[in-house]
């Protein structure tokens, strides 16, 4: 059985003290093992990054960017292989994995712009003969801790920009599906990255805690669930690091009576069930305003969900694949059951779908639940499965209140044709990423990604312009030159 | 005896449960009392700010800025009165208080630019027919906790921009010299600020902790000593708030052999002894490169220090005034004695200066100590008094190593005529604010203020562009309009 | 009879060789005279500006901004007097003059932000050890030539930012109503502007041509009619100056069938008839989509226009005042008659209104013309009077085609509730300033003003961010320091 | 003999009415012919660009950028072939051609950043419920007219950004060396550019004039000599186009007495003689401050020039190649002779060098002339050959006066170690691109390129940030939504 190891100082390594199984969720079988880094291994990775920092920091940004241009090309060239690796360990169908990868590549593209993005602000004459300017200098060694659900993309949210800004990096990908991240890191080396600038360690809490407490780590980026995000943020801060920690979500769509209903339903399908709902931007709650809209919505959704196919990652005709583990499958099923028990209506029931030939895979079918109420557990918590819940309210204000009262504030959306409704919604909703007729309002790579409330801990959002600020520290220089003999005072005898 | 109270929801109040003496450090006498807010009083202030938020947030930025324009004018009109209030409680001479106030006003000016500074980023066609933009929306109620050493300026670093961004504010000024901050807050109301948008509470740790733990407070800005900054940052973060906490400093000047020595000495005087050295940007260590430079530096400094006058704030001919308390006077004297005991040379001794007519004031005279070594306590800690220490090194690299090894990284400076030395220094020194022949490299209001290492906790610096980002949260909207009957499909019958 | 002279090098002057009458259009009487500058007088103004340039350019931007802050205050303090001066010579009612002035003051506010706006771009390490940055340096002496219709505001579009950027200025206001501009210029001197930085010359084509051909003038900003704008732009360019020349307009509103009709009518009234339609942003054509919308629009407009009052500037209850001259009154009346002759329907006829007590004033009443066609002269040319023409089309595409085919492209607007229609319109319409349910989409001072097609000659728009770029030239510095004995090579003997 | 034709609407064409010889300047032989486009051919190219515009403009910027990423890769892959084509027709040695190409590729990289660079400014609440934003929309069809001296690079300054901004393009490269530009344009099509977006026509004044006068061309970028630049600018403007026209130069280096002389000499060699001095940024005048500096400079230069080799492009060991034509060779020689006749000292004489095996090539050897005076023709005009002239002055002020008095203001440089001298120089010199110890201060691609005075006609510089502004027009949208039945007024019956 293959063991996935670490990439430290440009070399692949296997740290064999402890390992953990890596499953193929489509089959339910453990097909690989991942090495779990010891404290010493993580410290070695940090040391490699630390050693690589001075030279990399002094490499001109335009030269650092050249590595990113080549990296982008290699990612395109190896897209199929990467998607296969994602599929094997995460269960994503090829089209979905390719979507993930494409989004990741867009972050590499943004990092190519580092020379422009790192420009500081220059002021001539802040006082007579005094100039002042700000530079954005790299932090040093920074770390990224990433989740299973976007094994290729989320690391690419982090280290391309961190590295393009002149930092060196230690990545700890999810131990559930680490291979694609490892493979991609090798491509970056193939693109010309010097050894030590990017290091990848696999591991569990021990590795995480080492990263969080080692003085040489200057910043930590994290994406995962809210309780872990909160832990990471607290420990990192207590250890003098800057930190941005992205957590969970409960993303609502408001469906207004004037919405183009066919369009809305069509959009909701992908947003709710794509990637089995294992996305922090998954649209998991549809709030219909007015009973008429609700009836139409539930009717059309039920119809549209009928042909959806859940199945193994290897069949591109499937709409979505399994969830990540047996335990998670049970948890998602449990939420459906609890909603049912709490009085909601399970309109389409995805529990225990039959996936012929893959009976041991971790599948949950597309599920639609109507008449969900705010006090239900299935509403209050993040399900992270292919479950769309419908709520019915009397007014847009009521719908907005629901959203604003929820502890999460990651993404949200409104379906309407009305300019005023859209503007009022986007202005007043307490959510970081807002869609207007766009159910998955993930910002493009040149904007930044971030939720509000307990969906993100930290001041600065992920990727895009905020990432440049997060991965650099501001230095402000004020300069005055005293009067100069060279220019003024000296006379230079000239032959008469 | 006058009691300084609180300003809550536009009204002056006195919370009389507990009070504390406010001293005039020039005379050593307790002349006023300050009310110490109870938890209930602080919560009332927070509630007032919370209530004022929705309307203020929806007030157009250009209209919010109008209040700042009028505020600026009122600050100019009342400058003498403010300087007097600062002098009475802090001890600053008028010229120094005016300098402080002017710097504060510059931050009000920057806040006048809110309409420009709040511009978001707009992208047409992030996809076909899809637009995306980012808005920077206010946080809600934010708090500021400010130190005694700049009682007027540091609050003005914070709330003008916070308020111009649409937040409402609770300020807790230093209980040692609260009157100028209170007076200035009243001027802002005179300028037209609606009640509740800015509230001022006086208090001690109880008030601080209430601010740090109340859920309605969304962000905290702090300036003070490093241990408190670290505490504030930790508690605020643990309570889900964003926080920037500025702490202590040990600012070094490197004096290169080619420096214009007269200019350097002249600059060092003000930077080391101005405001009795009670500035986080005070220049407290001069590192001479080469013995020749050291000899010249110490010789010229000794000579230049002779005419310096320490004395009461009320005499404008004094160069600087007392330190803030009797306890602090003892502490500063203690550092001088410890340096002496550790083997350093006290060249000019400011312990126990005679200030005729003000024998009970908290005075320390200008002090010069030579041959200071890295292991001495007087070097490792922040003295916050009129004490300049000289160190001697053999090379610029050695000087830079000293600075980079110190736990603080607030400000630093190099004196040289050489372009290469200056550039190398500013590029590689691990300090947030760098001067080239500028000993107090405090960034102007349109740049941002912030140290590195243990001088600042948080990602974003104070005032200037970073303040705009700190006091707002990014919201990214992605918008697509489905095809429209209004534009396309419908035919409008026209008389034939 | 009072003669309005020139303001040169800080002093008021009268150049008496030639003068011209200044009328009060409300009464029709010539009440003042304006001096027409000779070539020599203009050259004196240029020389004064040239002499003032070096010191002003080296004055720190933050200090230059202080003058603008005081100027803003003085403009508020003198608002009534300024409005009266505008009224006397232009005929605007007080509320309209105050609106103009307020917009002008907003440009002064923007100029207060010069320290922020002048920031250049700084890049560390464009190559190893090489830095590069751009500065935006002032041009030198620049000129402004401004129209009668906003005698206070348009000059304030220009010189506050030009001056805040470090240039010196020669203004030639309209000779029809020069007094308010002159009075305002005096206020700027009262605010502390050094003599020579702003100079005002009155005059006619001779003065204009002197400004356009003198080598010392580096840039010209112009606002007026298109033929003159084209002339100015050509001559200025041929004489090596940068130039922005804003010309005429024909601003259309599309009224969609789903528009909130009452709101649209209400908005159109002010946009069409305010300031007698003598605005380059006046809304002069309403294009109704579908006959139903057309009928409703014309019906409601007719009703709403009934109470409109035209009359003397001195009565604040009037809605709008006279046009600027007898000749212009005749011209506007002529356009109405030509439309009638061409087959359009004059629904409300404003020709020859009775204004009791002011029978010799230059009045035209609010006029509504229906069934206007593209080939009519009244459609093809700018009327610049209180005349609203209605066109009827079958589709939004047809309406947009009309607008895109017109030679002018200054402003336009759509009335709709539909998000998609609004977005399509704003994306594809060939006009520089677009309103969505906003009939006078004049950008606020922190955006820039400019039309497309033959409404503006030049690359950069007026005021706002573009003005900063227009009034400065980019200088890019690339810097490398060769290795330095001071830092590296020399050893400094240290006592052993 | 091969004929180089046109690339119109994605297809290669030869327009055979008129042709012109293309020489290999290394051998002096005419080896190819270039087709000279007729008016009809140019109009066809414009029509193709016009037809391609609507779809290209609506292609999302991020998608347009993908073409640029691929283009960059193809340019790297084909670098040797491109350098050979440059060498054959221009005469550049391979290392020099590669330098040119690399600079060109950097502009393609900058164009990859279009999604970031095209961001507009968005303001929420410019008034209550009113938003405003600016978009930067493409102009339509734009043209580029480029010179012989950088046949690959200068076109790449223009069309990558123009196209990335959404414009379509017609390029007219120099008819002396058109092949590399044509080959590169084909690569861009290989990279996926749709037909018609970039068109290349070869031609002479007839083609140029067609571009300058055709109404469909919205903007023209030009690089060439000053008289032609002035003509282009005038005609383009008179025809309603925006235009930036870059002209000639006379770039001075000041050599200060404290300069690192070996470094200065080393830098000057490449800057003066590289590419035979046929660069608008060539350093053609060295101004020595003080006789001592002058003696050292001339002595060291003479010595350093001895080993320089002029010769055919095909030998990579040559330092530089021939000039472009026989006529230009005569002209350069004539300038040397005129300087001699005017009393200057020809220290190293490059007239009539012997290049064995290439006796008919257009060679001029590296030439050093001392004691040049301002009134000499060789000083007043641009030589554009491998000729370095030395002037001797007494002070830095005198040196700066020389530079500021010259009609050109493209580039300049100072050699010094002194921070104050460098800052004074960069602040006050009337030149657009300034080097501090950098003799060829060509801005990197993410800054902009442009001279002052008669070196550039237009407001905006070439490439970099200014190019984004030049190739787009600002549209400002102001939006308010009237109150909405959808959101507020309607009640939706809900089953009780």
């Amino acid at each position: 059985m293959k063991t996935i190891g670490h990439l430290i100082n440009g070399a692949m390594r296997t740290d064999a003290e402890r390992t953990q199984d890596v499953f193929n969720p489509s089959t339910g079988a453990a097909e690989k093992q991942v090495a779990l880094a010891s404290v010493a291994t993580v410290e070695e990775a940090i040391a490699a990054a630390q050693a690589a920092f001075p030279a990399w920091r002094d490499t001109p940004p335009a030269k650092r960017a050249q590595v990113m241009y080549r990296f982008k090309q290699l990612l395109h060239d190896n897209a199929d292989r990467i998607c296969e690796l994602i599929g094997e360990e995460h269960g994503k169908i090829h089209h979905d994995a390719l979507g993930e990868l494409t989004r990741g590549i867009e972050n590499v593209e943004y990092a190519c712009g580092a020379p422009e993005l790192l420009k500081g602000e220059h002021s001539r004459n802040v006082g007579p003969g005094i100039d002042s300017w700000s530079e954005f200098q790299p932090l040093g060694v920074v770390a990224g801790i990433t989740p299973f659900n976007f094994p290729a993309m989320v690391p690419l949210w982090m280290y391309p920009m961190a590295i393009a800004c002149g930092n060196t990096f230690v990545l700890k990908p999810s131990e559930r599906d680490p291979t694609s991240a490892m493979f991609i890191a090798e491509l970056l080396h193939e693109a010309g990255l010097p050894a030590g600038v990017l290091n990848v360690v696999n591991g569990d809490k021990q590795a995480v805690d080492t990263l969080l407490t080692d003085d040489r780590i200057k910043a930590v980026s994290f994406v995962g669930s809210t309780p872990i995000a909160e832990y990471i943020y607290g420990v990192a801060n207590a250890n003098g690091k800057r930190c941005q920690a992205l957590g969970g979500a409960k993303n609502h769509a408001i469906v207004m009576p004037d919405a183009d209903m066919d369009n809305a339903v069509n959009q909701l399908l992908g947003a709710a069930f794509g990637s089995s709902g294992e996305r922090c931007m998954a649209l998991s709650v549809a709030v219909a305003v007015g009973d008429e809209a609700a009836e139409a919505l539930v009717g059309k959704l039920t119809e549209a969900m009928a042909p959806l196919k859940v199945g193994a990652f290897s069949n591109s005709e499937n709409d979505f694949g399994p969830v990540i583990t047996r335990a998670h499958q049970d948890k998602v099923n449990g939420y459906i059951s609890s909603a049912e028990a709490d009085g909601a209506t399970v309109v389409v029931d995805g529990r225990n779908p039959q996936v012929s030939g893959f009976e041991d895979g971790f599948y949950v079918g597309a599920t639609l639940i109507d008449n969900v109420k705010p006090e239900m557990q299935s509403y209050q918590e993040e399900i992270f499965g292919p479950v769309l819940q419908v709520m019915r309210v009397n007014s847009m204000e009521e719908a907005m209140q629901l959203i604003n009262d929820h502890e999460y504030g990651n993404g949200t959306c409104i379906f309407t044709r009305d300019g005023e409704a859209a503007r009022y919604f986007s202005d007043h909703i307490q959510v970081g990423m807002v869609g207007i007729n766009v159910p998955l309002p993930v910002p493009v790579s040149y904007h930044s990604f971030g939720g509000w409330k307990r969906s993100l801990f930290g001041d600065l959002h992920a990727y895009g312009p905020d990432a440049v600020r997060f991965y650099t520290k501001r230095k402000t220089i004020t300069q005055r030159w005293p009067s100069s003999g060279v220019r003024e005072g000296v006379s230079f005898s000239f032959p008469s």
Side-chain angles (χ1 to χ4, degrees), chain A:
Chain A
M1 197 145 73
K2 195 190 164 186
T3 299
I4 304 131
H6 318 293
L7 173 52
I8 296 175
N9 206 25
M12 295 299 301
R13 302 243 317 244
T14 309
D15 172 6
E17 284 179 35
R18 295 185 301 131
T19 61
Q20 180 176 311
D21 286 346
V22 176
F23 287 81
N24 179 337
S26 296
T27 64
E31 298 181 348
K32 305 175 198 165
Q33 286 199 307
V34 60
L36 300 177
S38 64
V39 169
T41 302
V42 176
E43 288 179 346
E44 234 177 297
I46 297 171
Q50 178 86 336
F53 178 63
W56 185 245
R57 164 218 198 269
D58 286 340
T59 303
K63 220 156 185 190
R64 297 194 299 244
Q66 293 307 315
V67 179
M68 293 297 153
Y69 283 105
R70 288 188 295 264
F71 185 35
K72 169 178 158 66
Q73 190 55 51
L74 289 170
L75 289 166
H76 287 297
D77 296 346
N78 291 275
D80 281 345
R81 177 72 187 125
I82 295 167
C83 291
E84 202 186 347
L85 293 173
I86 295 172
E88 281 174 15
E89 300 177 4
H90 175 283
K92 273 186 211 196
I93 314 303
H94 183 275
H95 54 78
D96 193 21
L98 190 61
E100 167 180 358
L101 179 60
T102 303
R103 283 288 192 164
I105 293 174
E106 288 167 11
N107 292 102
V108 178
E109 294 172 12
Y110 197 67
C112 290
E116 174 72 16
L117 299 167
L118 286 170
K119 282 179 180 172
E121 308 174 335
H122 183 275
S123 296
R124 192 174 63 95
N125 279 350
V126 298
I130 306 177
D131 300 331
S132 193
W133 69 95
S134 289
E135 301 182 355
F136 294 93
Q137 297 199 347
L139 307 173
V141 185
V142 301
I145 301 165
T146 56
F148 79 85
N149 63 329
F150 286 101
M153 181 184 76
V154 173
L156 293 175
W157 283 8
M158 298 175 181
Y159 66 75
M161 184 49 77
I163 287 174
C165 288
N167 302 283
T168 55
F169 205 92
V170 181
L171 172 68
K172 199 216 81 60
S174 169
E175 66 275 26
R176 303 216 180 282
D177 48 7
T179 307
S180 59
M182 187 61 73
F183 180 73
I184 289 171
E186 291 182 85
L187 293 180
L188 181 51
H189 285 80
E190 193 180 328
L193 193 76
V197 175
L198 171 64
N199 305 275
V200 185
V201 291
N202 281 302
D204 53 11
K205 186 164 187 300
Q206 192 174 43
V208 167
D209 285 345
T210 307
L211 291 172
L212 294 179
T213 54
D214 192 294
D215 272 354
R216 293 166 295 183
I217 299 284
K218 300 303 178 199
V220 176
S221 294
F222 171 84
V223 175
S225 70
T226 286
I228 310 295
E230 195 165 20
Y231 169 78
I232 297 275
Y233 191 69
V235 180
N237 273 326
N239 283 275
K241 305 176 193 333
R242 59 172 69 185
C243 184
Q244 53 182 190
L246 283 67
K250 196 77 178 183
N251 306 314
H252 301 64
I254 299 182
V255 181
M256 294 292 286
D258 75 328
D260 177 331
M261 200 59 76
D262 289 326
N263 175 59
V265 165
N266 190 37
Q267 300 281 331
L268 283 171
L269 282 190
F273 307 122
S275 204
S276 301
E278 292 175 323
R279 293 170 174 160
C280 69
M281 286 295 274
L283 207 303
S284 55
V285 182
V287 187
V289 177
D291 213 42
E292 209 172 315
E295 291 300 325
L297 181 68
V298 172
K300 282 171 185 279
L301 275 170
T302 307
E303 199 174 324
M305 287 168 65
L308 287 182
K309 274 187 286 190
V310 60
F313 86 94
S314 47
N315 181 352
S316 280
E317 292 185 2
N318 288 326
D319 289 293
F320 58 95
V323 297
I324 188 67
T325 57
R326 173 75 60 204
H328 191 55
Q329 182 191 27
D330 293 344
K331 191 172 168 195
V332 173
N333 286 337
Y335 278 121
I336 300 171
S337 302
S338 85
E340 196 169 35
D342 288 344
T345 317
V346 178
V347 181
V348 181
D349 188 348
R351 284 171 291 190
N352 309 311
Q354 295 312 307
V355 180
S356 155
F358 297 90
E359 282 73 11
D360 292 333
F362 313 144
Y363 299 100
V364 181
T367 299
L368 181 68
I369 309 180
D370 195 3
N371 297 311
V372 172
K373 302 291 177 199
E375 60 281 5
M376 296 180 183
Q377 187 199 6
S378 68
Y379 175 73
Q380 288 170 356
E381 300 177 7
E382 186 176 27
I383 297 178
F384 228 59
V387 181
L388 176 59
Q389 302 190 89
V390 175
M391 306 179 81
R392 296 166 175 236
V393 298
N394 268 326
S395 70
M396 182 167 150
E397 284 294 345
E398 202 182 326
M400 287 177 64
Q401 196 61 52
L402 267 179
I403 298 171
N404 286 344
D405 287 347
H406 206 284
E407 71 167 321
Y408 295 125
N410 214 44
T412 191
C413 167
I414 190 170
F415 288 100
T416 184
R417 295 175 192 265
D418 188 89
E420 201 276 341
R423 200 272 180 187
Y424 184 88
F425 177 73
S426 73
D427 190 16
H428 290 285
I429 202 72
Q430 292 298 307
V431 171
M433 295 176 280
V434 179
I436 296 172
N437 299 304
V438 172
L440 278 183
V442 181
V444 289
S445 65
Y446 43 103
H447 286 266
S448 291
F449 183 105
W452 287 8
K453 296 188 281 187
R454 288 176 60 78
S455 290
L456 186 147
F457 300 86
D459 305 351
L460 294 165
H461 288 189
Y463 71 69
D466 271 14
V468 181
R469 192 68 191 82
F470 182 77
Y471 289 124
T472 59
K473 47 190 175 180
R474 182 188 285 265
K475 181 184 274 184
T476 303
I477 294 125
T478 306
Q479 178 174 283
R480 173 172 51 189
W481 295 105
S483 67
S484 148
V486 172
R487 180 168 70 84
E488 292 171 347
V490 181
S491 87
F492 305 103
S493 62
F494 206 62
S496 56

